[in-house]
Amino acid sequence: MPPEDPGLAFDNRFVTELPGDPQSTNARRQVLGAAWSAVRPTPVSRPQLLAHAADVAALVGCRETFVQSPDFAAVFAGNALLPGMQPYAACYGGHQFGNWAGQLGDGRAITLGEVVNAQGERWELQLKGAGPTPYSRTADGRAVLRSSIREFLCSEAMHHLGVPTTRALSVVTTGDDVVRDMFYNGNAQPEPGAIVCRVAPSFIRFGNFEIFAARNDTAMLAQLVDFTIARDFPHLAHRAGNAEEQRAAWFVDVCERTAHLVVHWMRVGFVHGVMNTDNMSILGLTIDYGPYGWIDDFNPHWTPNTTDAQMRRYRFGQQPAIAQWNLLRLAEAIAPLFADTDALQRGIDRFSETYIAQYEAMNAAKFGFVTRGEDEQRIIREAYKLMYDAEIDYTLFFRALGNVGDTLPSTPATVLLGDVFYDDAKRDAQADALTEWLQAWHACVSRHDRAHGRSVAVRRAAMHAVNPWFVLRNYVAQEAIDAATAGDPSVVHALLEVLRDPYTEQPHHGRFARRRPEWARHKAGCSMLSCSS
Ligand code: AMP
Ligand code: MG
């Protein structure tokens, strides 16, 4: 039988337009004067497709008949290359936890190539966990099944929530074990390995620019900036103006996208967990799903990342400030390309303006408000304080608000809101304040209904459209991981369906939308994850 036609059309601009590493051995090293190093994925024992996202396959032009063939698992485990693939690892640096870390690079990611689909859109296909590269430093270039499932499911969950993100085509199990010390406490264990194929228009990070700046390689820096504009920001490439004006417009664009991204994270309760500058996408996409998490009870101080448990640098409420700090590092890196660095300050200012405007609009929408005056601001502020003090589930709280009708029943708020509380004592202590708050909110939102001729049904639909019914809670992802590790991929498959329609209540999948059960409060994987994930 002739092999299945994959349907993929490769056009690899990154490796054809940017200088590569002249050395072709796979030894760990510092790579100078190059944006990438050619590298082959290291074959694995028994590639098996665990799950794939059919809409991502369609997006990149990959035929479903190919996905179902054994060749697909072989290619997306790194055991075979398709004609047109030119695999490489990118060179980048980064600030990790506030400090310059030098060269990092794709230590366990290998881009297979760029495909152009029938609509003319360009997508990079990148394996994560396909073996060592020149950038692997002391690590093995591999990924474990649990973190691969987490990245696969969360990429897709975020996309369907409307949050800018890299996508995921497939997750393939390798048949090989990978040894990990999950909590860096000397208990290294073999775990099943897996490889995700992730997909994005560009995997370029802030760190790709920082590395050339750190090495005073201004020529490479300029070349990479202009390449990025030409390939990934085509709407800017044709603007009038000299190179400096174009680069300035590009930086402003990056600042706006980054603000927009973090507003979405705050809206859905997502905590990235490791906002190092090497994990910041130039396109403002959520990238590098590691020890990320979703807040259950509303708590701005929460981070899922045990590696950051002391400083909590990357906690939920700190994400906007860190995004800005990271943009400052990018501005510093590209400053040598500017005679007039005021343009960079304008970008940073644009970040704050965009963030504030979009955050306020987002918040008003979550509460069902059409306009924002002092009353509305106060009600919003009080709600967050009550959610924190009474330890209320963030996602369930907003869905419950959306379900309130045109008259407020006389039942106490603690009953009306339903099963959204994590601590009975805290709930009881705030019971009266909550009832009072609910009345104030309801009076206000009802005023908006009357002033704008809005029915309750329309208000509810608008609120439900920004307040998800389903988010990929940590304990839910862990259930899928536990089942898959035991050989049953059905929970992964079920979640892949549920996450495609996260704003619609799916009563038959109600068990995936409940508040975090008590057993998951301190369980590894559910509330605690480390960078080794
Ligand atoms: P991360 O915290 O996942 O963003 O990774 C930071 C850096 O460490 C990047 O350069 C990664 O490529 C590298 N890295 C993380 N895990 C591994 C691994 N298992 N093997 C090789 N490099 C890794
Ligand atoms: Mg990373």
Side-chain angles (χ1 to χ4, degrees), residues 116-143:
V116 178
N117 68 11
Q119 292 73 47
E121 295 165 343
R122 178 174 299 272
W123 297 99
E124 280 190 41
L125 306 182
Q126 184 176 84
L127 301 184
K128 184 166 176 183
T133 78
Y135 308 97
S136 296
R137 295 176 292 157
T138 57
D140 58 5
R142 294 298 185 189

Side-chain angles (χ1 to χ4, degrees), residues 14-15 17-23 31-38 135 220:
F14 196 86
V15 293
E17 295 179 29
L18 292 170
D21 177 3
Q23 207 176 314
V31 174
L32 303 177
W36 54 274
S37 303
Y135 308 97
M220 271 300 306

Side-chain angles (χ1 to χ4, degrees), residues 420-435:
V420 303
F421 297 95
Y422 285 96
D423 183 307
D424 293 353
K426 288 184 181 176
R427 175 196 63 201
D428 294 347
Q430 303 300 330
D432 293 344
L434 269 169
T435 297

Side-chain angles (χ1 to χ4, degrees), residues 154 158 265-266 268-272 286 289 292-294 316 319:
C154 200
M158 293 287 265
W265 288 355
M266 305 312 279
V268 299
F270 178 79
V271 192
H272 182 284
T286 314
Y289 291 88
Y292 69 82
W294 300 79
F316 179 62
Q319 296 186 117

Side-chain angles (χ1 to χ4, degrees), residues 96 104-105 107-108 136-137 139-142 180 278-279 288:
Q96 297 186 313
L104 298 167
R108 60 166 162 179
S136 296
R137 295 176 292 157
D140 58 5
R142 294 298 185 189
R180 283 289 179 277
D278 55 302
N279 292 340
D288 276 10

Side-chain angles (χ1 to χ4, degrees), residues 2 47 111 114 132 145 176 210 270 272 305 346 479 511 522:
T111 293
E114 302 165 38
L145 179 62
D176 297 325
E210 290 179 279
F270 178 79
H272 182 284
N305 185 356
R346 279 197 294 282
E479 282 182 14
R511 75 182 178 103
H522 299 296

